[in-house]
Amino acid sequence: MASPIKRIAVFTSGGDAPGMNAAIRAVVRTATFHDLHIYGISQGYEGMVNGYIERLETRDVANIIHRGGTILKTARSEAFKTPEGRKQAYEQLVAQDIDACIAIGGNGTYTGALTFYQEYGFPFIGLPGTIDNDLYGTDYTIGFDTAVNTAIEAVDRIRDTADSHNRLFFIEVMGRHSGFIALYTGIGSGAGSILLPEKEHTVQELVKVLKNGAKRKKMFSLVIVAEGHPLGGAQAIADAVKNEFDYYESKVTIIGHLQRGGSPTAADRILASRLGHAAVEGLLKGIHNQAAGIVNQEVRFTPFEEAIHNVKPLETDLLEMAEILGL
Ligand code: F6P
């Protein structure tokens, strides 16, 4: 039986992530291959509410696989959180005869898609696009690998100064509710300590680690702090430690949005390409209200409810390993 899906719209939502463009390209090219009409919604749900919907042709996505950010722009929409906003969004999609949407974003994006599906029965597939890697149903999210590589490159540079001046650096990386970026950056940059929201850590424990390092003639130290750490950001933790431990001169660096942009790594381009392709193929097979991901190298679809409400576990055993390696 022929698929009832003829016109698909794709959009990006929430924080931009490197590899989103590669995903858009894969969606457009796969849809075109299947003779579907494909539309781009600019500015995420905000653009859906306002009807910023335009036809995308295969050449519109040429020369973007290597570009960071998102050619479709993105937003965190307040209007779509209201029933009136969602009604308007639905009317815009109906006016353009759109049969299904592919939403690229994080947990908030999936939540919006689920609500919309529940209210209007509108078919959606989600693709995990966030540097935070905090989405259940996929081993990695699009953008995470690039963000970690960027953060590690930054820490490598800071290491030179920390070493030259015998300093203690507190380096804050992104990850609002999750420590994936901090953990992977910490391991990859050989940090002495890694502070994550998922693992309770007191200032006294950190001071103890630093004192032990100093006893072993460790001349400088790097502490990676996830921005969502309950003790506060890197500055708050540096201030708390300063009162108890003055062996090293301490400095704070917040990497911030530097780690959100930039050309995607090979891993992110390949992940995004596979998932963009899988999303269109999935819609044609009748899959909807689910998020595509890759688990153990294989494409897997996870219902939005599950993807939203389950927490992807952080490998805290890696934290123990990092502590040993950072001695
Ligand atoms: O969710 C991605 C992310 O980069 C988080 O790590 C960070 O806390 C947040 O977005 C920052 O959002 P904004 O760019 O809107 O300030």
Side-chain angles (χ1 to χ4, degrees), residues 216-283:
R216 284 193 306 274
K217 305 258 179 307
K218 199 170 168 133
M219 301 306 285
F220 70 96
S221 212
L222 303 172
V223 179
I224 307 295
V225 183
E227 67 171 333
H229 195 277
L231 290 174
Q235 186 65 58
I237 294 173
D239 290 344
V241 167
K242 207 156 57 182
N243 295 332
E244 302 194 40
F245 180 73
D246 58 3
Y247 182 84
Y248 308 113
E249 184 190 358
S250 71
K251 294 279 175 185
V252 172
T253 302
I254 297 170
I255 302 180
H257 287 83
L258 274 178
Q259 72 210 280
R260 267 252 296 268
S263 182
T265 57
D268 274 330
R269 295 180 197 198
I270 293 163
L271 177 67
S273 300
R274 286 186 72 184
L275 290 177
H277 172 261
V280 176
E281 297 285 341
L283 274 177

Side-chain angles (χ1 to χ4, degrees), residues 175-187:
R176 240 181 315 203
H177 308 295
S178 131
F180 280 100
I181 298 178
L183 179 62
Y184 281 63
T185 300
I187 294 170

Side-chain angles (χ1 to χ4, degrees), residues 76 130-132 174-176 227 257 260:
R76 303 190 198 272
T130 165
I131 64 165
D132 291 352
M174 279 186 163
R176 240 181 315 203
E227 67 171 333
H257 287 83
R260 267 252 296 268

Side-chain angles (χ1 to χ4, degrees), residues 24-273:
I24 295 166
R25 170 181 177 271
V27 167
V28 171
R29 297 264 165 100
T30 309
T32 306
F33 173 79
H34 286 292
D35 290 328
L36 304 174
H37 285 189
I38 176 87
Y39 291 76
I41 303 175
S42 76
Q43 294 176 42
Y45 287 118
E46 191 68 15
M48 195 188 284
V49 172
N50 292 308
Y52 303 154
I53 305 172
E54 280 190 17
R55 182 77 198 271
L56 286 174
E57 305 284 353
T58 180
R59 300 275 43 98
D60 293 326
V61 293
N63 208 20
I64 64 167
I65 194 167
H66 61 300
R67 281 169 56 189
T70 159
I71 59 159
L72 290 177
K73 317 276 184 186
T74 187
R76 303 190 198 272
S77 174
E78 289 307 315
F80 194 78
K81 289 184 187 153
T82 67
E84 300 74 36
R86 290 193 293 277
K87 180 166 178 287
Q88 202 174 313
Y90 179 69
E91 286 163 2
Q92 300 283 10
L93 294 175
V94 170
Q96 299 271 3
D97 279 334
I98 305 291
D99 303 311
C101 279
I102 295 175
I104 310 171
N107 202 283
T109 306
Y110 288 3
T111 305
L114 176 61
T115 309
F116 201 65
Y117 180 79
Q118 286 165 341
E119 289 175 350
Y120 295 100
F122 199 89
F124 263 89
I125 283 204
L127 293 187
T130 165
I131 64 165
D132 291 352
N133 201 35
D134 58 348
L135 283 177
Y136 183 85
T138 190
D139 289 340
Y140 297 105
T141 56
I142 297 165
F144 171 67
D145 186 68
T146 307
V148 168
N149 275 284
T150 306
I152 287 177
E153 195 187 324
V155 178
D156 286 349
R157 288 166 195 264
I158 291 168
R159 174 182 278 278
D160 290 344
T161 300
D163 182 19
S164 304
H165 287 261
N166 290 347
R167 280 178 180 165
L168 167 61
F169 267 88
F170 293 87
I171 304 157
E172 184 177 304
V173 296
M174 279 186 163
R176 240 181 315 203
H177 308 295
S178 131
F180 280 100
I181 298 178
L183 179 62
Y184 281 63
T185 300
I187 294 170
S189 63
S193 297
I194 306 169
L195 303 185
L196 311 170
E198 290 83 354
K199 177 107 182 169
E200 253 185 66
H201 238 120
T202 62
V203 171
Q204 288 67 32
E205 281 166 338
L206 177 58
V207 168
K208 195 169 154 208
V209 171
L210 293 170
K211 281 188 175 159
N212 284 340
K215 268 193 220 139
R216 284 193 306 274
K217 305 258 179 307
K218 199 170 168 133
M219 301 306 285
F220 70 96
S221 212
L222 303 172
V223 179
I224 307 295
V225 183
E227 67 171 333
H229 195 277
L231 290 174
Q235 186 65 58
I237 294 173
D239 290 344
V241 167
K242 207 156 57 182
N243 295 332
E244 302 194 40
F245 180 73
D246 58 3
Y247 182 84
Y248 308 113
E249 184 190 358
S250 71
K251 294 279 175 185
V252 172
T253 302
I254 297 170
I255 302 180
H257 287 83
L258 274 178
Q259 72 210 280
R260 267 252 296 268
S263 182
T265 57
D268 274 330
R269 295 180 197 198
I270 293 163
L271 177 67
S273 300

